[in-house]
Amino acid sequence: MRMDLLSRAAGASALRRIVGLVLLMGLSVSGLRLLAANRAAPAIKTGASVSVTAVTVKPSDVPVGVATEGHVQALQSVTIRTQVPGQIQTLSFREGQQVAAGQQIAQIDPRPLQAVVDQDQATLDRDAANLANAQLDLARYVSLVGKGLVSAQQVATQRAQVSQLRATIRADQAVLNRDQIQIGYTSVRSPIGGIAGLRFVDAGNVVSPSDPNGLVVVTQIEPIALLFAVPQAELPRLQNAIAGYGLAGIRVEAWTAQNDQLLDVGALAVVNNQVDAASGTVMLKALLPNAHHLLWPGQFVNVRMITQTVHGGLTVPLTAIQQGTKGAFVWRVEHDGKALMQDIATASSQGGQALVTAGLSAGDVVVTDGQYGLVSGRKVQVMPMGSPGLRNTGTGELGISP
């Protein structure tokens, strides 16, 4: 009996401790919530004006097109190889040098082939002398056949001999021509103009046409090709632009990866004849003059292809455009200094600007920064661009652009 009473007393004590801990935790949570509430950012007063930055919408000529990525490709690239075996006497270029079409790259030792040419010439001269002698014999036989001193069979045989020697002469001449061409190959020349790369052999080495690397690679970079892909949905607009302006009328720009420098401007050259089914894109090629050599084969660049220019188009900075339940909108500043929400429609964006097709007119003033806390009818104070302390859409923090 006594043990039962002690057990009940211990259970009651434990229950009281549990209840106390629960109450203590509840008080702690309430205190933390109160502290957080006291530390919350102060609400913007309803009657106070909101500091913003804004721009005035102005009409201008707006280029419309496609922005994508592409890679630079050499228009031509040739591996220079020797066409005859032999020892390299001299290399006539420097690595990285601009070489012209037809410029000598290397000289192969011509002496072995020169000896073959000399032998061909001697064979030709010998057979030419035999032909001359055969022709004289034929002339004598023809004059004697009427006197019965030479038979007609001898004349016919001599004629065949002359014809045979003439054929031999032509064969000798062909062999001589072939070997003269071969000796011409000992002067290795570049078939195109371009930049010489790193050399693969040095002077003194014995080379042959079967060498896998050749002597050097020459790459043409003026003009240079730019390959890039566009979505198949852009094809109708692109084809309409080509029909109106031609391929040469489609402007293509190459920009750095940071879009902070225009590298070169060229024109569209080729639209590939099929759409890549895997990616849903079509490959295009543009040609750029590359006079300053800012583009290099294998380089990746940002590409802007201009298919149309909208005259008198209205643009706003992308930072001015917000997204709501009904779509895109901007905050328009009225003449009385109040901000009103204005729904807009856009066609394309490029260079941080969006082309507006509906909702705005020239001369409208739209908010570009400080949209946080704005409601229709709220007074705004337009500040200079880059002013600190502006509240931005969707943050509630100071000085953070959306």
Side-chain angles (χ1 to χ4, degrees), residues 293-346:
H293 295 182
L294 297 180
L295 298 174
W296 217 246
Q299 179 181 0
F300 283 88
V301 296
N302 286 326
V303 181
R304 299 178 188 173
M305 181 178 65
I306 310 303
T307 57
Q308 179 187 6
T309 299
V310 178
H311 300 288
L314 303 178
T315 60
V316 296
L318 290 175
T319 55
I321 300 176
Q322 313 297 312
Q323 294 295 328
T325 56
K326 297 181 180 179
F329 70 92
V330 295
W331 290 103
R332 188 180 68 208
V333 181
E334 299 296 295
H335 295 295
D336 57 3
K338 294 181 180 180
L340 293 178
M341 183 184 294
Q342 176 63 55
D343 294 332
I344 63 170
T346 60

Side-chain angles (χ1 to χ4, degrees), residues 19 37 59 69 77 168 259 271 305 311 320 353 359 373 384:
V19 172
E69 296 178 346
S77 183
T168 301
N259 280 321
V271 178
M305 181 178 65
H311 300 288
Q353 298 285 322

Side-chain angles (χ1 to χ4, degrees), residues 271-289:
V271 178
N272 198 17
N273 59 1
Q274 61 182 350
V275 174
D276 185 348
S279 62
T281 60
V282 60
M283 187 64 68
L284 308 179
K285 178 193 280 189
L287 293 182
L288 292 80

Side-chain angles (χ1 to χ4, degrees), residues 12 38 66 95 109 115 135 143 185 222 298 307 325 331 379 384:
N38 290 335
V66 179
E95 294 173 320
D109 186 359
Q135 288 174 329
S143 63
Y185 289 153
E222 292 184 53
T307 57
T325 56
W331 290 103
K379 292 280 290 185

Side-chain angles (χ1 to χ4, degrees), residues 53 56 75 110 119 191-192 224-225 240 260 271 301 319 345 379:
T53 60
T56 301
L75 193 61
Q119 184 179 5
I192 64 171
I224 204 163
N240 289 334
D260 57 358
V271 178
V301 296
T319 55
K379 292 280 290 185

Side-chain angles (χ1 to χ4, degrees), residues 112-190:
L113 288 174
Q114 183 62 56
V116 174
V117 169
D118 293 343
Q119 184 179 5
D120 295 339
Q121 185 65 57
T123 301
L124 176 62
D125 294 343
R126 181 196 63 194
D127 292 337
N130 290 335
L131 174 62
N133 184 59
Q135 288 174 329
L136 289 175
D137 287 343
L138 177 60
R140 283 194 292 266
Y141 289 169
V142 170
S143 63
L144 295 175
V145 70
K147 299 177 182 179
L149 299 176
V150 175
S151 67
Q153 179 63 41
Q154 287 179 301
V155 174
T157 301
Q158 191 61 30
R159 278 201 178 95
Q161 181 68 21
V162 170
S163 297
Q164 181 179 353
L165 288 172
R166 283 173 177 167
T168 301
I169 292 295
R170 290 195 296 270
D172 292 343
Q173 186 64 57
V175 171
L176 177 61
N177 293 341
R178 180 198 63 193
D179 290 339
Q180 285 176 335
I181 292 173
Q182 292 289 96
I183 200 173
Y185 289 153
T186 59
S187 178
V188 183
R189 299 181 179 275
S190 175

